[in-house]
Amino acid sequence: MFRSRRYAPAMAANPAIELTVGERTVRLTSPDKLYFPEVGLTKRQVVEYVLAVGDGIFAALRERPVTMERWPGGYRPDVTLSTRTGANHDAFYQKRAPAKGMPDWVETVTVTFPSGRTASQVCVTELATIAWMANLGTLRYHPWPVSRTSHDLVDQLRIDLDPQPGTDFSDAVRAALELRQVLEDAGLTGFCKTSGGRGVHVFVPVRPEHDFVQARHAVIALGRELARRMPDHVTINWWKEERGERIFVDFNQMARDRTIASAYSIRPTPRAVVSAPLTWAELPDVQPEDFTIPTMLTRFAAVGDAWAPFYVSEPGDLGAALEMYERDVRDLGTGRYGGAEMPYPPDYPKMPGEPARVQPSRMTAETRANEQMD
């Protein structure tokens, strides 16, 4: 369906077309606009891709509040991702449901941000909603790890294995394979996917019984155990100056309002690489660039959604992982640097038991004493 070719620049605005998605009609504006010039993919082809992998991407977003990462002018190397719209079709995150132009059949759910403020966010209840978001220029879909019915209780752990300078995808794969065993030892089942970049994401279905603080603590404990087993290869150190050439377990991706791109999301790259759900058997033999819009269409038509078992699997119990965290509290203490608790993102309010948010090389003598670093 998709061929790699260059398109001549459009001389005039293309007329909108209408697509039938289920029982809905989705209006597609400027369908011939080039979204990925290097490989000749248009906006229409991006929307058609979402529909072609619909069973997979809908399962990833179903009944979840979703932050949209919008690139309304398509991917260009000179466009930067910002938090607000600007000139030259700047890309941006949209957390709040649009105040105007949203079809009445698009549903929303109220989410609470770390500041305590609330907002209505788009909630995906049908494939047409995803197509509508794609028409807005959404390339990556960032679902919360909660459902609309229990939007303060986490039902998916999401573990981001992030290569640091000097490491690459193969290093992340090695860490992911060991993480699988760490999870199994804690009574949990992980599912792997490419991030679309150099990293690996591991998702874990869990019972919706714990809040974001507890879920984050579980990821910290699992990441710390992984680092104990692979000390020269993996780290959970928050400060970059301490990470070295190791894979960083980004535990703060599990904090409230921190999200990871869904399976089948499109990374804004020249070749339109996508985040590919995989089986564990496949992971050692692939590269992130193997999965683009055209190749994923071929793969999905042949094998369907590799994560279909994920959505019907029995959710795990976080009890063992939280016991690991409490063990670390006993052994390491908390409320100070080097303790069990770790720094939160800089825009968060100060959290209970959190150490100072100052990288060690910039600490004053007083702070170093308070953090028991001397």
Side-chain angles (χ1 to χ4, degrees):
M1 180 187 298
F2 295 86
R3 291 179 294 173
S4 175
R5 63 183 187 276
R6 293 185 178 275
Y7 283 66
M11 300 303 293
N14 304 116
I17 61 174
E18 292 185 340
L19 301 175
T20 299
V21 184
E23 299 179 354
R24 309 297 186 188
T25 298
V26 179
R27 189 169 184 266
L28 175 57
T29 57
S30 303
D32 295 331
K33 178 185 289 185
L34 268 180
Y35 259 36
F36 291 92
E38 185 169 309
V39 290
L41 291 172
T42 65
K43 181 179 181 179
R44 178 172 183 166
Q45 289 172 303
V46 168
V47 176
E48 289 176 340
Y49 159 77
V50 168
L51 297 178
V53 299
D55 288 347
I57 196 167
F58 180 58
L61 303 179
R62 185 175 186 175
E63 301 288 328
R64 299 184 182 280
V66 178
T67 295
M68 295 181 280
E69 184 182 322
R70 293 179 57 185
W71 294 70
Y75 167 76
R76 299 291 187 280
D78 59 331
V79 173
T80 57
L81 182 62
S82 62
T83 56
R84 64 184 66 186
T85 57
N88 301 319
H89 300 288
D90 279 349
F92 58 98
Y93 293 104
Q94 182 160 351
K95 296 184 177 183
R96 298 174 181 272
K100 297 180 180 179
M102 188 171 71
D104 58 9
W105 44 264
V106 172
E107 300 194 36
T108 62
V109 64
T110 299
V111 296
T112 303
F113 298 126
S115 64
R117 293 181 294 109
T118 60
S120 292
Q121 194 159 53
V122 172
C123 182
V124 173
T125 57
E126 55 187 304
L127 182 57
T129 301
I130 305 174
W132 169 77
M133 289 192 286
N135 180 59
L136 295 180
T138 304
L139 295 183
R140 286 194 285 196
Y141 303 82
H142 297 265
W144 282 46
V146 299
S147 71
R148 67 186 304 188
T149 55
S150 301
H151 49 78
D152 285 318
L153 298 177
V154 170
D155 65 0
Q156 292 179 354
L157 289 191
R158 297 169 179 180
I159 304 175
D160 182 10
L161 300 175
D162 185 12
Q164 300 303 290
T167 63
D168 56 20
F169 179 73
S170 64
D171 296 304
V173 168
R174 181 182 165 198
L177 294 172
E178 184 63 33
L179 175 61
R180 183 188 186 191
Q181 185 60 56
V182 172
L183 292 169
E184 289 181 359
D185 292 346
L188 300 169
T189 302
F191 294 80
C192 61
K193 71 180 181 73
T194 64
S195 67
R198 298 189 306 139
V200 175
H201 295 159
V202 178
F203 281 31
V204 183
V206 297
R207 299 173 192 163
E209 300 172 341
H210 300 283
D211 62 20
F212 281 93
V213 171
Q214 293 169 306
R216 178 179 173 275
H217 284 169
V219 170
I220 289 173
L222 293 165
R224 187 176 280 124
E225 178 59 25
L226 178 63
R228 289 189 181 110
R229 298 186 188 188
M230 309 180 78
D232 297 326
H233 191 72
V234 173
T235 181
I236 64 164
N237 290 346
W238 176 247
W239 304 109
K240 290 182 179 181
E241 65 188 43
E242 296 184 314
R243 295 178 190 170
E245 294 184 1
R246 292 181 287 182
I247 299 299
F248 171 51
V249 181
D250 191 352
F251 52 86
N252 271 335
Q253 290 296 82
M254 201 64 245
R256 180 183 288 273
D257 193 33
R258 290 300 188 272
T259 53
I260 290 178
S262 75
Y264 303 102
S265 283
I266 307 166
R267 193 174 182 90
T269 56
R271 295 184 59 247
V273 174
V274 305
S275 178
L278 302 168
T279 66
W280 285 106
E282 291 176 305
L283 183 61
D285 299 319
V286 302
Q287 292 296 322
E289 57 269 21
D290 293 340
F291 306 103
T292 62
I293 287 179
T295 64
M296 181 54 75
L297 286 169
T298 300
R299 171 183 168 85
F300 198 89
V303 303
D305 183 14
W307 269 17
F310 174 40
Y311 306 111
V312 296
S313 62
E314 183 70 21
D317 183 349
L318 279 185
L322 291 174
E323 286 177 6
M324 292 166 59
Y325 183 80
E326 291 305 316
R327 177 201 62 193
D328 291 341
V329 170
R330 292 191 299 271
D331 293 347
L332 304 174
T334 191
R336 62 178 179 81
Y337 184 88
E341 181 60 281
M342 302 291 286
Y344 272 79
D347 58 323
Y348 263 65
K350 184 70 174 180
M351 300 295 287
E354 183 186 3
R357 291 183 199 169
V358 182
Q359 64 193 70
S361 63
R362 295 189 177 183
M363 284 189 178
T364 63
E366 180 180 3
T367 302
R368 292 183 66 86
N370 291 338
E371 296 296 310
Q372 302 176 39
M373 294 179 62
D374 295 319

